[in-house]
Amino acid sequence: MSETALRAAQTRFVADLEETPLATTDQVDESTPPGGLWLEAWRTLRRRPLFIISSVIILFLIVLALFPGLFATQDPTHCELQNSLLGSTSGHPFGFDVQGCDIYSRVVYGARASVSVGVLSTAITVLVGGVIGALAGFYGGWLDAVLARLTDIFFSVPLLLGAITCMQAFPDKTVWVVALVLAVFGWPQVARIMRGSVLSVRNAEYVTAATALGASRAKNLLRHVLPNAIAPVIVIATVSLGAFIGAEATLSFLGIGLNPATTVSWGGDINQAQNVLRSNPSVLLYPAAALSLTVLSFIMLGDAVREALDPKSRKR
Amino acid sequence: MSEIISSTRQEFVDPNSPLLEIIDLDVAFKSAQGRDVPAVRKANLVVYPGQTVAIVGESGSGKSTTAHAIIDLLPGTGRVTGGQILFEGRDLTKLPAKEFVGIRGDAIGLVPQDPMSNLNPVWKIGYQVAEALKANGRAKGAEAKRQAAQLLTEAGLGDAERRLKQYPHEFSGGMRQRTLIAIGLAARPKLLIADEPTSALDVTVQRQILDHLETLTTELGTAVLLITHDLGLAAERAEHLVVMYRGQVVESGPAREILRDPQHPYTRRLVASAPSLASRRADTAAARAEVVERAEQVADAAAQEGGTLAAEAASGPAAAAVTDDVLTIENLTKVYKIRGAGPRAAEFKAVDDVSFTVRRGTTTAVVGESGSGKSTLAQMVLRLQTPTAGRVLFDGVDVNGFDRKAQFAFRRRVQPIFQNPYGSLDPTYSIYRTIEEPLRLHRVGDKRSREATVREMLDRVSLPSSVMRRYPNELSGGQRQRVAIARALALRPEVVVCDEAVSALDVLVQAQILALLSELQAELGLTYLFITHDLAVVRQIADRVCVMQSGTLVEHADTETVFEHPQQEYTQALLNAIPGAGLVLSGDR
Amino acid sequence: MAWYVGRRVLQMIPVFFGATLLVYALVFLLPGDPIAALGGNRPLAPGVAAQLRHQYHLDESFFQQYLTYLKGILTLDFGTSYSGRPVTEVMAQAFPVTIRLALLALLFEGVFGIGAGLIAGLRRGGVFDATLLVASLVVIAVPIFVIGFVVQIVFGVKLGWINPTVGPEASWGQLVVPALVLGSISFAYVLRLTRDSVTENLSADWVRTATAKGLSRRRVVSTHVLRNSLIPVVTFLGADLGALMAGAIVTEGIFNIPGVGHALYQAIIRGEGPTVVSIVTVLVVIYILTSLFVDLLYAVLDPRIRYV
């Protein structure tokens, strides 16, 4: 003790009270507007350029898919062979394809097929995969064992390979058929993510607290577990919407997708274009660009949503 | 100490010239908007060679930030914005990044906070210890291996040769912390920064490790800068204390002097609420008797109103009236089957033949270290887990005999409050919805009366009703715990099971919540079953204490008896391990 | 470890049976008569059709057919295609080509994906990082057949650097450019995965402890950050081998590579059920085996897994 006293600069120090005013312990901070996790995610999201750009494009695409007539006056199926591969002229900004159809209006009308297949497949996969994953993760035990194996079985057939294999069996290749086939091989991914997410939430203390309050298991799953486990599924759903559109185009490109005689689709037009690719690359360019931009917007949206919902970036 | 490899370089050390001197240090973090948010302001402190200095403060006080600034390991966007850090006269804030590599490990060692996350899971222990030797040019190859083993032995790990070949996940928390101490001291630094080195560990392990660290650093002549939230621990281990509050040093000086005569209002508050230093519970025996009486009235009133639980329980045995012993635990046992690395499931007795009773209107504390089975016990009382054997009687009725309806009624009368204020509230629920949920589940009242109840509950836990529209992520830990209490009390339960309900909170907040729980008990006639690892807290709140050790009940008596005349060696060890327990404050407050 | 391996192998068995059944059902149970389709527009004579049906067990119940087929797989006898050529022979020609292609693609995405991802992760928020992130999004978004065509036109036709189509021998050298196309999307995924993993590990507590030990930044990055970041990346790469082989159909079509995808496509167009089933089954089995391999690899790389 005496030795310490000798040492300079280590004597007793007390800060000025005025410089360090005492706050009431644990005061409620009312300076910020109230908002939950979702509201906060939305606040981060709407400031991100990635989100703004992609959602504007997607909104535009949806309008395009619903009302193509607003943007193109030409009938996309009205084709005259004499116009085959003609360049850009007045009223036909993108020129004509092999069959002599107006490329611009085919690009406009092609949005509907792509968006429909993407939305339908995603809806089915989220529904089927979400339910299976949630049940497996929440209830565990033998149900989990059975559902997990079932998921593994479907997961072991890659999406495109599976779709290619069974597309031929359907004589009438409508939007519904393509969406269904893609969904059959797409749901296991959603199921796996949902299962993992539910597993990480189901033992949370707030779930136990709700049980202790008297909530039944089903109520707990619906009211507490699902709302907290859904974020990764939303992200994967957005990204896979883009992926399904890409897969649909690939099937059409291979000539086993949507029936080109009845449905205008970008993939089908790209397939048509490949024969004249070397001489007229622009025939390929427009549908390919439209397709790429669409897929890109969904993937960008998924990326933005992922960052906004990332639990690691949430403040505790 | 068996064999010390080599102590600090024996150059001439002037014990009266500072080893580390921090002058007017400012540290700031960049916010998302690009503004500098100060984390440490004008901090000053001095460490002399071989001395132990402690920085004490609650979370967010800037104590860890100060420590990390010294060795240039500020996380994220943090940086030193002003002041000097003089180490042996050299200003570290001006040192280029490349030269810092020579300071870290070699001159200044670090023992980090969380033993679970500070060892790389993919490398063997031996590699990670030897790495510290190689990086600082202390040894190479086989020699490094030999010395690594020696370092582990020195840090108190037996069978070091075998330990070197293991991975971190094969170690317990205490073993990992010893490994981290071995790493921190590997290159014989002159200063060791110990950042909450034992906060994650059980008290008895904590004491062993701190004792060991003290012996080691004394022998090596290493100065220690100890960062801690625990005033008792700091006072016990350090000669000199630095108290930090909201980024500033509010008081510093010799440890005993500060404890005996705190000057700054914050320090005074801190000394007054430190559980380890505080004496027994404030209220008198007469006041306690009143609470018990009140509880009996409440129970009687409830029984007349809704009929007893026994009457509701169709399958229950013959109706028992309201009893004095609201909870009776009889030979309760829980056996888990653990699926390990092999095909055979091993059996693990989490709770082993435990019996005790809880009197209405009192607080019974169940104390034990991790793995003692105290939480499993709480879960069985709450009927969240089914016992392997034995019974839990609530008002004389076995809770495991309940059918659905009786269980639902039981849920209304027994409520839990959990440890983690960040985990026990659903982040997607607003505070209003959180507190309203139990009312809605049990179909109590209409929308308007429910809102009135929520407001009343918030008022009871001293939260403004404006928080109703907020979400858990906007509240602090203490506030969340208040919300959790409000939710638990919304249904007017008779018994509340507090599972480590205050363990995650800062001392001042902890003291507030404990006071609130006491108050509510007196007002509402509640019975508490208080599960905790912290004996210091027990003394402030409990009437009776159950001490558990690896699943069995080793001691059960009045709080006074347990603290004054512990019958068991284990209880004695727990009491001794309370940091600061040995401190005698002359000239009592 | 042995227990872990054993359990994984046991779990694989029902998946194997389930997946083969699924593939078989997809091809033979769905509407459409393969025999009728064989004749094209001309209906086959009833006698010929019946004989063919018998030859391919199509007159038996579905499960009998499946069992016969399963026996074939297990004895590596894949039967003959409708055109009379042994399916094994078709596959023996096609598989080596696709394996070469997939390995090249894997090498490309591994080396460049990890390298670029590491740099982006270490310089998070910088220009390099931002550029790579946007570029990787574009690569992921643009369908592979578009990338393929662009590469073919630009490098094959306009610049004349490569032969736009690959000949029947499909040597390693000829496959380099198609492999870049095939691996491009996975390259973008590897890049992003490595980057995220590196960023996450950089802020890990043990990395700070390693720095506090006195290790140089280079040592910290190589032994602690990179080593840990590689665990998810390597497992992704392992699983990708199977995915690349199954997904080669488009690339092989564009560059006219005589690989598995090509053979499969031809068989589908011609409606050759037995050939389709055999090829898809082999691809699925490869996929299952690679994911088993990945799980085991994971256990080797991450010591914590071995004891789960």
Side-chain angles (χ1 to χ4, degrees), chain A residues 7-8 10 12-13 15 20 23 25-27 30 32 34-37 40 205-206 211-213 223-224 228, chain B residues 46 48 51 240 245 248 250-252 261 264 269 411 415 418 423 426-427 437 442 466 470-471 474 476 478-479:
Chain A
R7 291 166 167 174
Q10 212 171 17
R12 192 72 184 271
F13 163 81
T20 54
T25 305
D26 228 16
Q27 204 173 15
E30 306 211 42
T32 53
L37 285 179
E40 225 169 67
E205 275 190 349
Y206 53 80
T211 310
L213 288 171
R223 298 230 181 114
H224 291 283
N228 281 288
Chain B
V46 183
Y48 284 94
Q51 193 188 25
H240 191 83
Y245 173 63
Q248 285 177 310
V250 291
E251 189 160 356
S252 65
D261 179 26
H264 195 277
R269 232 189 242 177
R411 295 266 180 246
Q415 274 299 304
F418 292 113
D426 187 332
E437 187 187 14
H442 289 263
S466 61
R470 292 183 178 273
Y471 286 81
E474 300 174 273
S476 72
Q479 290 158 2

Side-chain angles (χ1 to χ4, degrees), chain C residues 210-246:
Chain C
T211 315
K213 277 181 202 171
L215 295 184
S216 65
R217 173 141 172 108
R218 181 177 284 272
R219 290 288 298 174
V220 172
V221 168
S222 61
T223 58
H224 291 277
V225 178
L226 190 58
R227 168 68 175 76
N228 291 58
S229 305
L230 282 181
I231 296 173
V233 179
V234 169
T235 49
F236 175 89
L237 286 175
D240 207 36
L241 183 66
L244 285 173
M245 292 184 66

Side-chain angles (χ1 to χ4, degrees), chain C residues 136-224:
Chain C
S136 65
L137 276 184
V138 172
V139 171
I140 292 171
V142 178
I144 199 158
F145 54 92
V146 175
I147 298 180
F149 279 139
V150 171
V151 167
Q152 195 180 33
I153 294 173
V154 173
F155 296 103
V157 181
K158 302 266 177 217
L159 294 171
W161 292 356
I162 54 159
N163 200 342
T165 54
V166 173
E169 71 274 27
S171 66
W172 289 94
Q174 286 172 320
L175 289 176
V176 169
V177 174
L180 293 186
V181 172
L182 178 62
S184 60
I185 291 178
S186 300
F187 158 75
Y189 278 118
V190 170
L191 187 158
R192 293 173 73 90
L193 193 60
T194 312
R195 173 201 180 261
D196 290 349
S197 191
V198 164
T199 326
E200 195 187 319
N201 280 317
L202 270 178
S203 58
D205 283 349
W206 68 74
V207 169
R208 193 188 55 203
T209 304
T211 315
K213 277 181 202 171
L215 295 184
S216 65
R217 173 141 172 108
R218 181 177 284 272
R219 290 288 298 174
V220 172
V221 168
S222 61
T223 58
H224 291 277

Side-chain angles (χ1 to χ4, degrees), chain C residues 281-292:
Chain C
T281 302
V282 172
L283 286 174
V284 165
V285 168
I286 289 177
Y287 194 76
I288 295 175
L289 287 176
T290 49
S291 47
L292 174 70

Side-chain angles (χ1 to χ4, degrees), chain B residues 263-466:
Chain B
Q263 297 279 316
H264 195 277
Y266 176 74
T267 322
R268 273 191 223 148
R269 232 189 242 177
L270 206 57
V271 172
S273 3
S276 48
L277 303 170
S279 50
R280 64 219 57 170
R281 58 183 303 159
D283 27 0
T284 59
R288 300 299 303 148
E290 253 173 62
V291 174
V292 172
E293 205 174 302
R294 168 106 187 93
E296 279 162 8
Q297 285 166 7
V298 169
D300 281 335
Q304 270 158 25
E305 209 176 283
T308 59
L309 196 57
E312 286 178 44
S315 56
V322 169
T323 51
D324 285 351
D325 289 335
V326 62
L327 277 179
T328 307
I329 281 123
E330 283 181 359
N331 312 99
L332 203 60
T333 302
K334 178 77 188 177
V335 179
Y336 286 112
K337 289 200 163 40
I338 324 175
R339 277 187 53 188
R344 297 220 150 254
E347 287 205 337
F348 169 70
K349 254 188 189 162
V351 175
D352 189 0
D353 196 17
V354 170
S355 307
F356 64 92
T357 56
V358 177
R359 198 177 145 79
R360 197 178 287 281
T362 65
T363 300
T364 299
V366 179
V367 194
E369 299 188 290
S370 49
S372 63
K374 57 186 192 304
S375 282
T376 311
L377 178 76
Q379 300 252 321
M380 287 192 284
V381 171
L382 286 163
R383 222 191 159 219
L384 294 171
Q385 296 218 22
T386 318
T388 313
R391 301 195 298 169
V392 175
L393 303 180
F394 179 75
D395 257 356
V397 187
D398 184 359
V399 301
N400 283 295
F402 286 162
D403 60 9
R404 255 185 130 84
K405 214 177 126 210
Q407 172 170 325
F408 195 60
F410 167 77
R411 295 266 180 246
R412 217 173 144 165
R413 301 173 66 187
V414 180
Q415 274 299 304
I417 301 169
F418 292 113
Q419 168 177 22
N420 182 356
Y422 292 97
S424 61
L425 303 182
D426 187 332
T428 61
Y429 274 40
S430 70
I431 303 305
Y432 176 77
R433 235 183 123 196
T434 302
I435 302 175
E436 193 216 12
E437 187 187 14
L439 301 170
R440 211 154 21 92
L441 275 172
H442 289 263
R443 302 182 204 287
V444 178
D446 57 7
K447 214 172 163 242
R448 277 184 59 189
S449 74
R450 287 206 291 259
E451 188 179 329
T453 314
V454 172
R455 280 177 193 278
E456 187 207 323
M457 282 302 142
L458 282 173
D459 189 50
R460 276 201 190 277
V461 297
S462 313
L463 283 173
S465 55
S466 61

